[in-house]
Amino acid sequence: MGSMDISLSIVGLSAGAASPVDSLVGNLTRIRDEGFRRVWMAQMPWDADLTTVLGIAFREVEGIEIGSAVIPIQSQHPMQLAQRALTLSLISGGRFKLGIGMSHRMVTEGMWGVSWDRALRQMREYLDGLQPLLAGEPADATGEFWTARGALQVPAPEPELYIAALGPQMLRLTGRRTAGTLTWMTGPKTLAEHVVPTLRGAAAEAGRPESAVRVAAALPISVTDDVDGARRQAAKEFAVYGTLPSYRAMLDREGYAGPEDAAIIGDEETVSARLDELSAAGVDEFTASVFDASAEGRARTRALLLTKAR
């Protein structure tokens, strides 16, 4: 078992900042200068367009990889997403990783009027259109949900493709066809007994080496002496994830009452041991969602993370 990569998660742009994009560029520059090599950013349904913002960020900030964790598939055609992903790969010289997912019923049906049903089929058809294009080949996929026929001319390195997969069927599809999965709110027992073996088993069945697929696990983290305070903050800040069915299933599987139980909270020794537990569970990359309310607390957490980065 190799040592675990350490990356950071940034959720949303600081909408309150005078210039959210300038603020992100400054933030990414600091993160890179501290020694982090990769950041994952979420596309929230109400936020600025992530791919546009990343085009600027890649141009302004050298020497750091940025992945989307994740872009929902239902709101854009696979050919359009392939254009955007390849454009980011072109701008960044191959530093972009594309993470996609199904979002949630309350978003797709509630906000967009798009069915969330038959998620596996939707995703499989999307991959049939998307993957050839990312590889620089023509797509010729006719589906019930997605049809993509034609080629792009964007001379860029193929971005690694990840799927936010938690359920067994989606994990198997991910293991057969992509670079790996991005998990959230999923604890070490569930990772070790469900996510890792399902993903790697599917890769092996498809004739791929087990090392061809990666598990990038994101969790809230706070290195602090005020464990109760951090737990209260996590319970409040991440409350919605206790109600969304896909994450609720992961919390239940682990025996967690709520998101505050999934959060990694404690002093350096405690948190370090929790990270070792994730590595032992077969996690290839830990994506830290640093949530301490104070700048000092966040800096303390990042400092510990850097001691664990290889």
Side-chain angles (χ1 to χ4, degrees):
M1 182 189 66
S3 61
M4 188 170 63
D5 283 338
I6 301 287
S7 57
L8 292 182
S9 166
I10 298 178
V11 179
L13 291 174
S14 342
S19 169
V21 177
D22 287 347
S23 167
L24 176 66
V25 165
N27 197 7
L28 288 169
T29 303
R30 279 191 300 277
I31 286 168
R32 178 205 61 196
D33 292 348
E34 279 184 14
F36 292 97
R37 298 198 321 228
R38 186 177 306 132
V39 168
W40 293 91
M41 291 192 64
Q43 174 68 75
M44 296 315 232
W46 54 82
D47 212 349
D49 176 59
L50 181 63
T51 57
T52 307
V53 170
L54 289 186
I56 298 166
F58 277 129
R59 188 78 176 176
E60 295 282 331
V61 188
E62 288 290 331
I64 193 165
E65 295 178 346
I66 310 173
S68 60
V70 298
I71 293 174
I73 65 169
Q74 296 91 337
S75 56
Q76 60 195 307
H77 191 277
M79 293 187 92
Q80 182 187 36
L81 183 58
Q83 281 177 317
R84 289 173 168 159
L86 287 168
T87 302
L88 289 175
S89 185
L90 188 67
I91 292 168
S92 66
R95 290 182 286 137
F96 176 63
K97 295 181 186 298
L98 176 61
I100 61 174
M102 283 298 295
S103 188
H104 304 275
R105 196 181 293 275
M106 67 178 273
V107 175
T108 67
E109 295 184 0
M111 296 175 80
W112 303 333
V114 175
S115 171
W116 195 84
D117 289 336
R118 302 172 68 205
L120 191 71
R121 175 157 193 150
Q122 288 200 43
M123 182 60 81
R124 194 173 61 238
E125 288 186 3
Y126 203 90
L127 293 182
D128 291 343
L130 177 70
Q131 286 190 292
L133 298 170
L134 293 179
E137 293 159 10
D140 185 10
T142 307
E144 191 181 326
F145 292 97
W146 297 106
T147 292
R149 296 189 283 257
L152 301 175
Q153 293 179 6
V154 187
E158 178 178 1
E160 279 189 350
L161 178 65
Y162 287 75
I163 296 177
L166 298 173
Q169 294 288 89
M170 198 67 81
L171 279 167
R172 280 197 277 273
L173 176 66
T174 300
R176 285 196 304 271
R177 297 189 53 175
T178 74
T181 188
L182 306 162
T183 69
W184 172 238
M185 286 295 157
T186 306
K189 185 164 69 85
T190 303
L191 287 161
E193 296 171 10
H194 164 61
V195 174
V196 170
T198 305
L199 189 78
R200 300 210 197 288
E205 281 168 30
R208 307 176 71 197
E210 291 197 356
S211 59
V213 286
R214 289 168 56 83
V215 175
L219 288 167
I221 185 168
S222 173
V223 177
T224 179
D225 300 320
D226 180 12
V227 172
D228 291 343
R231 279 181 61 84
R232 280 194 301 275
Q233 192 195 333
K236 186 176 160 198
E237 191 169 323
F238 303 108
V240 66
Y241 300 111
T243 66
L244 292 166
S246 49
Y247 297 125
R248 184 68 254 172
M250 294 300 105
L251 294 170
D252 289 345
R253 195 186 260 265
E254 195 75 20
Y256 288 158
E260 66 276 17
D261 293 326
I264 297 175
I265 298 169
D267 61 12
E268 281 78 1
E269 193 180 355
T270 305
V271 167
S272 184
R274 294 280 301 279
L275 294 177
D276 291 343
E277 187 184 9
L278 289 173
S279 184
V283 170
D284 300 286
E285 177 175 346
F286 174 68
T287 301
S289 184
V290 179
F291 72 94
D292 197 289
S294 73
E296 296 80 10
R298 294 192 298 275
R300 180 178 172 186
T301 302
R302 290 197 309 274
L304 181 276
L305 288 165
L306 285 167
T307 69
K308 307 294 280 186
R310 55 178 167 199

